Amino acid sequence: MAKELNFKQDLTACFGQPVAENPTQVMMEAAYKHHGLDWRYLTIEVAPTDLADAVRGARVMGFRGFNCTIPHKVAVIQHLDGLGESASLMGAVNCVVRRGDQLIGENTDGKGFVKSLRELVDPTGKHVVMFGAGGAARAIGVEVALAGATNITLINRSAPRGEQLAQLLADRVQVEVNFVRWDQTYRVPEGTDILINATSIGLYPDVDARLDLDVSTLRAGMVVADVIPNPPKTHLVRDALARQCQVIDGLGMLVNQGIIGIEYWTEATTGHKVCPAAAVMRNALEQVFGE
Ligand code: NDP
């Protein structure tokens, strides 16, 4: 009997602007291929004024889900049918999942970060220093606190944004937080276990940008994590490696949030969660970045 032919693939995507330099597609399609899923992941440029139409398009074209990146993580919420717990706590969505006929917003950024962190250290009882107070910092701050960190020192250039995030963390996840305005070279305090760059400093094309940080205060054994995925070998990553820190680059978080996205999408589509292989996804990215 002739094999049944099917030319209709299951669609997923990333909506953003700018989005062309976002490498997510490479690792997601590598995972789909590796696990025998006849799925596609498209990188789609969507302007803020077109977001409502793009979400409607994804709905009627039966997309299994999509990621949202800059500048859509908050704006997309008004176009969805509901929010998962993390997304509702953070007020931001980076992963939309079709569950039945509903589009539900989830946030996998912070969960992906904590998954990478746990590969090196258990966050419970740890003292954390985090630079940044934007969307990535919000997601990471919430999940690191939920994972049991004792306190978070939040460093940000703009005071209102920093104070707002400090308040959100103190109110919603009951972690001890102190905010420090970033107006001079920062010296990492003694006793810091984990240092996180959650700013966009070092992101392509501004690859030579550096955090205003006294690198001599990075101590051997300290965990240093950078969220910048492109390029992954930022100045911070290189400085931390030279100081014998334990280092997590931005690919770790990117891969792990992608894994959680595929688990959500496949479970909602087939009832069975596909747990993708991290090594396959990371290798695909490393080939692109020539690591
Ligand atoms: P936002 O625009 O929401 O926030 C940017 C943050 O960076 C703010 O705290 C901003 O400070 C700070 N910042 C930017 N430039 C400077 C500078 N020159 N000096 C000091 N502070 C600066 O961005 P997101 O939080 O959404 O994203 C941040 C980064 O995280 C991006 O590079 C993105 O690629 C990365 N990311 C990585 C992911 C991964 O999987 N690896 C997932 C999600 C994001 P201020 O408030 O003062 O403006």
Side-chain angles (χ1 to χ4, degrees):
M1 201 169 69
K3 185 170 174 260
E4 190 185 334
L5 296 174
N6 175 19
F7 301 102
K8 183 181 140 321
Q9 296 164 323
D10 285 295
L11 297 179
T12 56
C14 177
F15 293 170
Q17 187 180 57
V19 78
E21 79 296 338
N22 187 312
T24 307
Q25 177 190 63
V26 169
M27 65 171 197
M28 301 302 257
E29 295 215 327
Y32 294 161
K33 192 166 172 216
H34 182 78
H35 293 282
L37 291 165
D38 191 15
W39 286 39
R40 294 298 314 275
Y41 187 98
L42 310 173
T43 303
I44 304 179
E45 176 125 353
V46 176
T49 47
D50 293 329
L51 183 62
D53 287 342
V55 175
R56 203 170 308 122
R59 217 183 256 282
V60 301
M61 287 188 274
F63 278 45
R64 295 303 176 191
F66 56 91
N67 289 124
C68 285
T69 185
I70 292 172
H72 303 316
K73 288 184 182 181
V74 174
V76 74
I77 292 175
Q78 60 190 304
H79 308 299
L80 303 177
D81 303 305
L83 295 181
E85 196 189 347
S86 286
S88 138
L89 213 52
M90 293 164 197
V93 165
N94 77 318
C95 180
V96 175
V97 185
R98 178 186 294 267
R99 296 203 171 103
D101 59 2
Q102 299 216 309
L103 292 182
I104 305 298
E106 300 282 358
N107 199 306
T108 61
D109 277 337
K111 290 183 196 303
F113 179 83
V114 168
K115 206 164 182 299
S116 316
L117 193 59
R118 284 191 194 284
E119 290 165 14
L120 289 183
V121 68
D122 178 352
T124 309
K126 296 296 187 287
H127 299 270
V128 177
V129 164
M130 180 169 72
F131 295 91
R138 199 190 301 191
I140 291 170
V142 166
E143 294 290 349
V144 166
L146 290 176
T150 299
N151 60 45
I152 301 178
T153 300
L154 197 65
I155 326 290
N156 201 54
R157 179 180 59 180
S158 109
R161 223 167 167 198
E163 281 159 2
Q164 202 183 5
L165 178 55
Q167 196 64 49
L168 180 146
L169 293 174
D171 291 349
R172 300 213 188 160
V173 280
Q174 283 90 43
V175 67
E176 194 188 307
V177 199
N178 63 306
F179 170 64
V180 177
R181 172 119 197 266
W182 199 5
D183 53 8
Q184 55 183 311
T185 304
Y186 188 74
R187 293 180 54 79
V188 184
E190 293 276 351
T192 300
D193 302 299
I194 301 169
L195 178 137
I196 305 164
N197 172 37
T199 73
S200 44
I201 299 171
L203 185 68
Y204 180 87
D206 205 4
V207 299
D208 281 325
R210 280 178 178 271
L211 276 78
D212 189 5
L213 164 72
D214 180 348
V215 291
S216 73
T217 60
L218 298 176
R219 295 172 194 92
M222 181 188 282
V223 174
V224 174
D226 200 333
V227 298
I228 301 298
N230 179 9
K233 277 232 166 70
T234 56
H235 279 296
L236 178 63
V237 164
R238 281 182 267 168
D239 289 340
L241 286 170
R243 308 266 323 155
Q244 276 90 46
C245 300
Q246 304 184 74
V247 176
I248 301 170
D249 66 22
L251 296 186
M253 175 180 176
L254 188 66
V255 165
N256 282 314
Q257 62 82 26
I259 287 176
I260 300 167
I262 292 178
E263 288 174 354
Y264 282 155
W265 293 331
T266 51
E267 187 166 37
T269 302
T270 65
H272 300 287
K273 195 194 280 186
V274 170
C275 302
V280 168
M281 296 168 75
R282 183 160 183 118
N283 286 345
L285 289 170
E286 284 178 351
Q287 278 179 28
V288 166
F289 290 112
E291 292 294 303

